[in-house]
């Protein structure tokens, strides 16, 4: 596994953890609700297609909306 793929996997894991925290606090569930599962899947798909993975830092600075 190359450096970029490791970075992508770490990013996806972080996103999923953040959404899990949000879901637990706002939707009062132990497991992700269907809405949050959908959001995780969407975020992972976007991450997979990100052309800036090698040099990107924060989503706030992303050129792609």
């Amino acid at each position: 596994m190359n450096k970029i793929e490791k970075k992508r996997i770490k990013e996806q894991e972080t996103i999923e953890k953040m959404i899990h925290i949000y879901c637990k606090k706002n939707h009062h569930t132990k497991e992700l609700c269907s809405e949050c599962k959908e959001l995780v899947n969407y975020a992972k798909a976007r991450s997979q297609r990100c052309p800036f993975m090698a040099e990107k830092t924060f989503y706030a600075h992303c050129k792609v909306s």
Side-chain angles (χ1 to χ4, degrees):
M1 186 179 318
N2 65 32
K3 187 177 179 180
I4 295 172
E5 280 307 308
K6 286 181 184 178
K7 183 177 179 181
R8 189 182 314 273
I9 289 169
K10 180 152 177 67
E11 175 181 272
Q12 290 176 355
E13 289 171 350
T14 301
I15 291 168
E16 187 166 0
K17 287 176 186 175
M18 290 171 62
I19 293 171
H20 188 80
I21 291 167
Y22 171 87
C23 188
K24 185 176 180 179
K25 181 172 171 63
N26 292 282
H27 301 148
H28 311 289
T29 62
K30 288 186 178 185
E31 300 296 322
L32 288 176
C33 69
S34 60
E35 181 182 336
C36 290
K37 282 181 187 175
E38 195 174 312
L39 182 57
V40 167
N41 291 337
Y42 173 78
K44 286 182 176 182
R46 291 294 300 252
S47 176
Q48 278 303 123
R49 295 189 310 265
C50 179
F52 307 109
M53 188 58 67
E55 67 271 353
K56 81 179 195 177
T57 55
F58 299 104
Y59 284 110
H61 304 290
C62 185
K63 299 171 191 165
V64 180
S65 298

